[in-house]
């Protein structure tokens, strides 16, 4: 079988669809290279002294793991000097990171969750990196947080790397979703799945059930009806999976369907859900929609939400379209 590398894929895509200008291609290749470096660090585990906590807190008040910080540094360093970016933003940094003046500035802005699924690092379960690419606004001067406040529908590319039994990169530039597997011996990304499609229907759901006593009624109703199985209103049995790494749960859904939920709940109304809009929900929503699935916050399409702050949280319902429609319907029709 002829192997297609990430570079070849990007070049051919540009020729075919004119959708990946040279600067964007460089950006994607640099991010992919950084993910390769992160994958290497992840794979070393205790041998590389990368496990455990760093004894610091990020802006979300979460204790940072060593790998959260290492991965953030890897992505920052890799992306600073290439001239393809105006600014970056990360889960692990309170404010945006403009490209230092010693480097040329480009027309894109990159957002990332450097290490997703931190609670799984120390137990050797799949984790990942999520990223989102926006265009810098026309005539932008010194970059500010306001320049990032664009709805997810404006993303020009989004992707994630999953560090599991295999390291994979899943990418969209708005023209379908493709999956690359890291050839560890050669150090190259090889196209292994073209045009990923999420089955429209599913019998599998993903939610952290331990929060069920805090859920709002539409989520309780939806999950109860699934749990009732073939003799309940849904008339079929459902299975459940929860990895607690969004990348791993989304990757499973892209591979065989499913519905993923991290709803808002009654615990803290100032904190609508756990996942962050700009570097978790938006890139995943773009990928899922590009693969024929759907992604809402229970009421509206995630990609239509106009952000008001960088680290804003959002309820997330995504995956197989038929199921996302059911749970969204329960929120909107009462
Ligand atoms: P992060 O490690 O970047 O903070 O994100 C973790 C997220 C997401 O990956 C996952 O779906 C969810 O948190 C798991 O949350 P629970 O621990 O509440 O199940
Ligand atoms: Mn995350
Ligand atoms: Mn993270």
């Amino acid at each position: 079988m002829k192997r297609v590398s990430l570079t070849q894929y990007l070049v051919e895509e540009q020729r075919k669809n004119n959708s990946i200008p040279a600067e964007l291609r460089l950006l994607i290749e640099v991010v992919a290279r950084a993910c390769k470096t992160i994958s290497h660090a992840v794979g070393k585990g205790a041998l590389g002294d990368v496990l455990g906590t760093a004894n610091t807190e990020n802006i979300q008040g979460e204790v940072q793991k060593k790998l959260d910080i290492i991965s953030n540094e890897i992505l920052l360093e890799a992306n600073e000097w290439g001239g393809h970016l105006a600014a970056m933003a990360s889960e692990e940094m309170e404010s945006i990171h403009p490209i230092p003046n010693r480097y040329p500035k480009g027309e894109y802005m990159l957002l990332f969750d450097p290490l997703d699924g931190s609670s799984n690092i120390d137990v050797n379960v799949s984790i990942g990196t999520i990223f989102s690419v926006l265009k810098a606004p026309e005539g932008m001067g010194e970059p500010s947080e306001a320049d990032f406040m664009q709805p997810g529908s404006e993303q020009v590319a989004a992707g994630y790397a999953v560090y599991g039994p295999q390291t994979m990169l899943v990418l969209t530039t708005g023209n379908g979703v493709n999956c690359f597997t890291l050839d560890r011996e050669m150090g190259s990304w090889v196209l292994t799945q073209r045009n990923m499609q999420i089955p429209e229907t599913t019998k599998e759901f993903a939610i952290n059930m331990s929060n069920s006593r805090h859920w709002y009624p539409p989520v309780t109703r939806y999950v109860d009806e699934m749990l009732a199985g073939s003799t309940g209103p849904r008339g079929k049995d459902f299975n459940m999976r929860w990895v607690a790494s969004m990348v791993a749960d989304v990757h499973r859904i892209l591979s065989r369907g499913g519905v993923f939920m991290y709803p808002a709940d009654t615990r803290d109304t100032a904190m609508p859900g756990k996942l962050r809009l700009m570097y978790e929900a938006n890139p995943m929503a773009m990928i899922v929609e590009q693969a024929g699935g759907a992604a809402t916050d229970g009421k509206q399409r995630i990609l239509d939400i106009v952000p008001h702050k960088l680290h804003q949280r959002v309820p997330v319902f995504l995956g197989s379209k038929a199921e996302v429609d059911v749970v969204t319907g329960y929120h909107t029709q009462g």
Side-chain angles (χ1 to χ4, degrees), residues 169-190:
L169 180 76
V170 169
L171 174 71
T172 183
T173 53
N175 191 21
V177 180
N178 291 282
C179 180
F180 302 82
T181 302
L182 180 62
D183 180 329
R184 296 182 210 256
E185 283 77 44
M186 302 299 285
S188 60
W189 294 103
V190 181

Side-chain angles (χ1 to χ4, degrees), residues 3 40 69 74 91 117 140 194 198 205 228 266 270 272 280 315 330:
R3 286 161 62 116
H40 186 73
I69 295 173
I74 290 172
E91 177 189 344
M140 183 179 79
R194 278 189 197 268
I198 301 175
F205 69 96
T266 55
E280 292 179 316
Y330 288 179

Side-chain angles (χ1 to χ4, degrees), residues 91 113 115-117 130 246 275-276 280:
E91 177 189 344
D113 174 354
L115 211 287
D116 175 68
I130 310 171
M246 190 193 201
L275 299 172
R276 278 63 48 121
E280 292 179 316

